[in-house]
Amino acid sequence: MSRYYTAALKLGKALQAREDYLTLAIETSCDETAVAVLQGKRILSSSIMSQIDIHKRFGGVVPEIASRNHIAAIDNIVECALAEAGVKADQINVIAVTYGAGLLGALIVGVSYAKSLAYALGIPCYGINHIKGHIFANFGCHDISLPAIALIVSGGHTAIAKVNSYNDIELLGSTRDDAAGEAFDKVARVLGLEYPGGPKISILAKEGQNSIKMPRSFKGEEHLNFSFSGLKTSIVNYVHNLEQKALPIPKADIACSFQEEVASVLVSNTIKAVQRTKIDKVILAGGVGANELLRSKLRTACEEIGATLYMPEKKHCTDNAAMIGVASYYAIKEGMLPSPLTLDATAELKIDEHN
Ligand code: KG4
Ligand code: ZN
């Protein structure tokens, strides 16, 4: 075992009982270079440089361009986060970094930076699962006693899970094809809206009516899985049909009807999960969790069955590093070991495994 790792193990163990240690958290899994500083689980600063303006002309994230921009930005964003928190680099006790799931090249930038800095400072580094980060974003602003049912809705994942702890998460259902955010982005593209499509669809939907019938997959089935590709295809066909007949396309009505359908199916499966497991706490996680209609439908449905709903602030629904820092706090409390210097970025990472 290297001298570095022997010391990291010792330092990591000592942190388990502490609340005052400083964490530098790094997130580069997609198109946001994000860095946060935390004391215990208290967020002192959260800096984000979004690459959206760079990628939107391509209609989506270009992985190679994302990696290059992370490299160019990361040093500055670390400086910003430290300055905003009033903390010097050598005061940091722990580094937390997203090591998966996400774009491999983008993740490698954050992981390499985190490991190098941890080695230079002689402090432990914890590789954190991005999706668990989304779930634990809620714990930065709420006191939640587990277990709870999590609805995870991001650009790459859509799932319902029973969260017992950071390293004990049971998957109850997931998408069989597109993620909810992916569906928002693809439908937005069909309607000629810019990437990322989720926020654009929700703005356009305000001008429309829920007047177009949308197909629902797995209707009447017992399981808690999702499928959004049929919904997307039906919208593509609907739009093409009107285009061929040179008829006007009711974009706002399409946006409104689509958003209603996605929010309804997400809420319906979440409520089923609560009723089946008899766990009356619900956690909303991931970028689509910023969607106002989903938030209000979920709020109403949870009230109706007497379940308590926890949602992060909208700014903490989409990718950020504060959530990675909060997740690492819980991982450390649970006794997770620091990552060795051989920690690798990985594009695929499950949430129902120890990682
Ligand atoms: O969690 P996230 O920031 O990144 C991933 O881990 O994937 O999620 C990004 C996704 C994108 O697909 C984006 O369109 C969607 O979240 N999104 C929204 C909203 N804000 C972001 N979808 C619907 N309504 C929103 N307000
Ligand atoms: Zn994310």
Side-chain angles (χ1 to χ4, degrees):
M1 205 183 294
S2 72
R3 259 214 336 249
Y4 160 77
Y5 194 62
T6 309
L9 278 177
K10 210 166 142 194
L11 290 169
K13 199 162 174 47
L15 295 175
Q16 242 177 301
R18 279 176 56 186
E19 298 291 325
D20 60 340
Y21 64 89
L22 293 167
T23 301
L24 183 80
I26 299 176
E27 152 66 44
T28 63
S29 68
C30 191
D31 58 346
E32 260 94 32
T33 315
V35 180
V37 177
L38 292 88
Q39 180 157 43
K41 67 166 189 162
R42 198 160 63 87
I43 301 160
L44 301 184
S45 69
S46 179
S47 303
I48 302 179
M49 200 215 72
S50 172
Q51 302 178 12
I52 284 176
D53 283 342
I54 299 168
H55 296 282
K56 70 181 176 196
R57 78 186 93 135
F58 305 106
V61 180
V62 182
E64 174 67 20
I65 296 176
S67 315
R68 287 176 190 278
N69 280 285
H70 284 310
I71 294 171
I74 194 158
D75 240 341
N76 277 340
I77 306 301
V78 168
E79 290 295 327
C80 283
L82 287 171
E84 203 189 313
V87 167
K88 300 223 172 339
D90 61 7
Q91 292 177 286
I92 295 290
N93 304 100
V94 171
I95 302 212
V97 63
T98 305
Y99 78 106
L103 301 172
L104 194 57
L107 288 162
I108 286 173
V109 178
V111 169
S112 313
Y113 192 99
K115 288 195 297 186
S116 315
L117 192 56
Y119 184 71
L121 294 172
I123 57 176
C125 173
Y126 291 84
I128 296 296
N129 180 323
H130 179 80
I131 294 300
K132 293 185 184 181
H134 276 302
I135 295 173
F136 278 83
N138 284 282
F139 290 72
C141 48
H142 305 292
D143 281 323
I144 309 172
S145 61
L146 291 172
I149 298 297
L151 170 63
I152 302 145
V153 276
S154 73
H157 293 79
T158 295
I160 296 183
K162 178 174 171 229
V163 182
N164 300 313
S165 69
Y166 180 85
N167 261 320
D168 183 3
I169 297 180
E170 297 167 45
L171 207 54
L172 303 178
S174 60
T175 181
R176 289 290 164 247
D177 39 57
D178 293 348
E182 201 178 347
F184 266 95
D185 295 340
K186 286 179 176 170
V187 168
R189 211 168 164 164
V190 174
L191 299 181
L193 304 171
E194 274 181 344
Y195 172 84
K200 309 282 180 332
I201 291 218
S202 66
I203 293 167
L204 183 61
K206 290 199 179 105
E207 297 163 23
Q209 303 287 327
N210 179 16
S211 56
I212 302 166
K213 188 145 178 44
M214 298 280 158
R216 170 141 334 166
S217 301
F218 303 145
K219 211 170 172 179
E221 289 191 35
E222 280 299 299
H223 60 73
L224 299 176
N225 296 325
F226 303 96
S227 164
F228 295 109
S229 73
L231 179 58
K232 177 201 69 194
T233 308
S234 90
I235 291 174
V236 170
N237 291 342
Y238 183 77
V239 169
H240 284 175
N241 202 355
L242 291 175
E243 276 172 352
Q244 277 166 359
K245 293 179 187 154
L247 290 169
I249 295 161
K251 292 188 180 180
D253 292 346
I254 296 173
C256 179
S257 310
F258 163 77
Q259 183 179 241
E260 280 282 346
E261 171 55 27
V262 175
S264 299
V265 75
L266 291 171
V267 171
S268 153
N269 278 10
T270 308
I271 298 302
K272 268 196 234 165
V274 171
Q275 288 169 332
R276 266 182 218 173
T277 57
K278 305 207 178 348
I279 294 169
D280 61 357
K281 271 162 268 158
V282 175
I283 293 173
L284 180 61
V288 183
N291 184 275
E292 215 24 84
L293 183 76
L294 174 61
R295 291 170 83 92
S296 78
K297 273 188 182 292
L298 198 55
R299 200 179 291 120
T300 308
C302 284
E303 272 167 19
E304 275 171 14
I305 59 163
T308 310
L309 173 64
Y310 300 98
M311 302 188 275
E313 280 179 67
K314 285 191 197 167
K315 67 173 184 200
H316 287 141
C317 286
T318 44
D319 289 351
N320 66 87
M323 67 184 197
I324 301 303
V326 176
S328 74
Y329 168 89
Y330 284 92
I332 290 169
K333 277 262 174 290
E334 256 178 78
M336 191 166 110
L337 297 180
S339 304
L341 289 173
T342 49
L343 173 72
D344 252 341
T346 164
E348 303 282 337
L349 206 52
K350 298 209 159 99
I351 58 163
D352 54 352
E353 281 177 9
H354 193 96
N355 55 37

